[in-house]
PDB file of all heavy atoms in Angstrom:
ATOM      1  N   VAL G  47     -26.257 -71.680  72.003  1.00 92.00           N
ATOM      2  CA  VAL G  47     -25.974 -71.531  70.582  1.00 92.00           C
ATOM      3  C   VAL G  47     -24.798 -70.585  70.397  1.00 92.00           C
ATOM      4  O   VAL G  47     -24.504 -69.765  71.262  1.00 92.00           O
ATOM      5  CB  VAL G  47     -27.221 -70.977  69.853  1.00 92.00           C
ATOM      6  CG1 VAL G  47     -27.372 -69.480  70.090  1.00 92.00           C
ATOM      7  CG2 VAL G  47     -27.187 -71.271  68.364  1.00 92.00           C
ATOM      8  N   THR G  48     -24.124 -70.729  69.249  1.00 90.00           N
ATOM      9  CA  THR G  48     -23.119 -69.763  68.808  1.00 90.00           C
ATOM     10  C   THR G  48     -23.527 -69.263  67.425  1.00 90.00           C
ATOM     11  O   THR G  48     -23.899 -70.068  66.569  1.00 90.00           O
ATOM     12  CB  THR G  48     -21.726 -70.402  68.720  1.00 90.00           C
ATOM     13  OG1 THR G  48     -21.335 -70.874  70.003  1.00 90.00           O
ATOM     14  CG2 THR G  48     -20.697 -69.389  68.230  1.00 90.00           C
ATOM     15  N   VAL G  49     -23.488 -67.947  67.217  1.00 90.00           N
ATOM     16  CA  VAL G  49     -23.739 -67.382  65.885  1.00 90.00           C
ATOM     17  C   VAL G  49     -22.482 -66.687  65.412  1.00 90.00           C
ATOM     18  O   VAL G  49     -21.804 -66.011  66.199  1.00 90.00           O
ATOM     19  CB  VAL G  49     -24.946 -66.410  65.885  1.00 90.00           C
ATOM     20  CG1 VAL G  49     -26.238 -67.190  65.980  1.00 90.00           C
ATOM     21  CG2 VAL G  49     -24.864 -65.407  67.038  1.00 90.00           C
ATOM     22  N   VAL G  50     -22.137 -66.880  64.125  1.00 87.00           N
ATOM     23  CA  VAL G  50     -20.855 -66.371  63.628  1.00 87.00           C
ATOM     24  C   VAL G  50     -20.994 -65.511  62.366  1.00 87.00           C
ATOM     25  O   VAL G  50     -20.061 -64.796  62.020  1.00 87.00           O
ATOM     26  CB  VAL G  50     -19.861 -67.518  63.340  1.00 87.00           C
ATOM     27  CG1 VAL G  50     -19.543 -68.277  64.612  1.00 87.00           C
ATOM     28  CG2 VAL G  50     -20.390 -68.450  62.277  1.00 87.00           C
ATOM     29  N   THR G  51     -22.132 -65.556  61.684  1.00 89.00           N
ATOM     30  CA  THR G  51     -22.299 -64.829  60.422  1.00 89.00           C
ATOM     31  C   THR G  51     -23.327 -63.714  60.601  1.00 89.00           C
ATOM     32  O   THR G  51     -24.414 -63.964  61.144  1.00 89.00           O
ATOM     33  CB  THR G  51     -22.762 -65.776  59.308  1.00 89.00           C
ATOM     34  OG1 THR G  51     -21.834 -66.859  59.202  1.00 89.00           O
ATOM     35  CG2 THR G  51     -22.838 -65.043  57.975  1.00 89.00           C
ATOM     36  N   GLY G  52     -22.994 -62.498  60.144  1.00 93.00           N
ATOM     37  CA  GLY G  52     -23.937 -61.386  60.226  1.00 93.00           C
ATOM     38  C   GLY G  52     -25.268 -61.748  59.584  1.00 93.00           C
ATOM     39  O   GLY G  52     -25.299 -62.267  58.472  1.00 93.00           O
ATOM     40  N   GLY G  53     -26.384 -61.496  60.301  1.00 95.00           N
ATOM     41  CA  GLY G  53     -27.705 -61.812  59.790  1.00 95.00           C
ATOM     42  C   GLY G  53     -28.158 -63.245  60.039  1.00 95.00           C
ATOM     43  O   GLY G  53     -29.299 -63.607  59.746  1.00 95.00           O
ATOM     44  N   GLU G  54     -27.277 -64.039  60.611  1.00 94.00           N
ATOM     45  CA  GLU G  54     -27.582 -65.453  60.837  1.00 94.00           C
ATOM     46  C   GLU G  54     -28.733 -65.632  61.812  1.00 94.00           C
ATOM     47  O   GLU G  54     -28.839 -64.913  62.793  1.00 94.00           O
ATOM     48  CB  GLU G  54     -26.324 -66.146  61.377  1.00 94.00           C
ATOM     49  CG  GLU G  54     -26.466 -67.626  61.632  1.00 94.00           C
ATOM     50  CD  GLU G  54     -25.164 -68.263  62.094  1.00 94.00           C
ATOM     51  OE1 GLU G  54     -24.181 -67.524  62.326  1.00 94.00           O
ATOM     52  OE2 GLU G  54     -25.127 -69.497  62.236  1.00 94.00           O
ATOM     53  N   VAL G  55     -29.591 -66.589  61.506  1.00 97.00           N
ATOM     54  CA  VAL G  55     -30.695 -66.959  62.390  1.00 97.00           C
ATOM     55  C   VAL G  55     -30.573 -68.440  62.693  1.00 97.00           C
ATOM     56  O   VAL G  55     -30.405 -69.260  61.784  1.00 97.00           O
ATOM     57  CB  VAL G  55     -32.068 -66.677  61.741  1.00 97.00           C
ATOM     58  CG1 VAL G  55     -33.202 -67.173  62.644  1.00 97.00           C
ATOM     59  CG2 VAL G  55     -32.233 -65.188  61.450  1.00 97.00           C
ATOM     60  N   LYS G  56     -30.635 -68.775  63.994  1.00 95.00           N
ATOM     61  CA  LYS G  56     -30.611 -70.181  64.386  1.00 95.00           C
ATOM     62  C   LYS G  56     -31.802 -70.467  65.292  1.00 95.00           C
ATOM     63  O   LYS G  56     -32.192 -69.613  66.099  1.00 95.00           O
ATOM     64  CB  LYS G  56     -29.307 -70.516  65.128  1.00 95.00           C
ATOM     65  CG  LYS G  56     -28.112 -70.665  64.214  1.00 95.00           C
ATOM     66  CD  LYS G  56     -26.942 -71.284  64.948  1.00 95.00           C
ATOM     67  CE  LYS G  56     -25.812 -71.588  63.986  1.00 95.00           C
ATOM     68  NZ  LYS G  56     -24.640 -72.177  64.674  1.00 95.00           N
ATOM     69  N   LYS G  57     -32.363 -71.657  65.127  1.00 96.00           N
ATOM     70  CA  LYS G  57     -33.519 -72.038  65.957  1.00 96.00           C
ATOM     71  C   LYS G  57     -33.159 -73.266  66.771  1.00 96.00           C
ATOM     72  O   LYS G  57     -32.512 -74.209  66.294  1.00 96.00           O
ATOM     73  CB  LYS G  57     -34.725 -72.344  65.068  1.00 96.00           C
ATOM     74  CG  LYS G  57     -35.244 -71.130  64.339  1.00 96.00           C
ATOM     75  CD  LYS G  57     -36.593 -71.378  63.680  1.00 96.00           C
ATOM     76  CE  LYS G  57     -37.026 -70.107  62.964  1.00 96.00           C
ATOM     77  NZ  LYS G  57     -38.398 -69.748  63.250  1.00 96.00           N
ATOM     78  N   LEU G  58     -33.620 -73.237  68.029  1.00 94.00           N
ATOM     79  CA  LEU G  58     -33.447 -74.354  68.943  1.00 94.00           C
ATOM     80  C   LEU G  58     -34.804 -74.554  69.603  1.00 94.00           C
ATOM     81  O   LEU G  58     -35.143 -73.908  70.585  1.00 94.00           O
ATOM     82  CB  LEU G  58     -32.374 -74.012  69.986  1.00 94.00           C
ATOM     83  CG  LEU G  58     -31.967 -75.090  70.976  1.00 94.00           C
ATOM     84  CD1 LEU G  58     -31.295 -76.241  70.248  1.00 94.00           C
ATOM     85  CD2 LEU G  58     -31.016 -74.506  72.022  1.00 94.00           C
TER      86      LEU G  58
END
Side-chain angles (χ1 to χ4, degrees):
Chain G
V47 77
T48 299
V49 286
V50 298
T51 304
E54 181 177 6
V55 176
K56 283 192 173 179
K57 293 191 180 227
L58 184 65

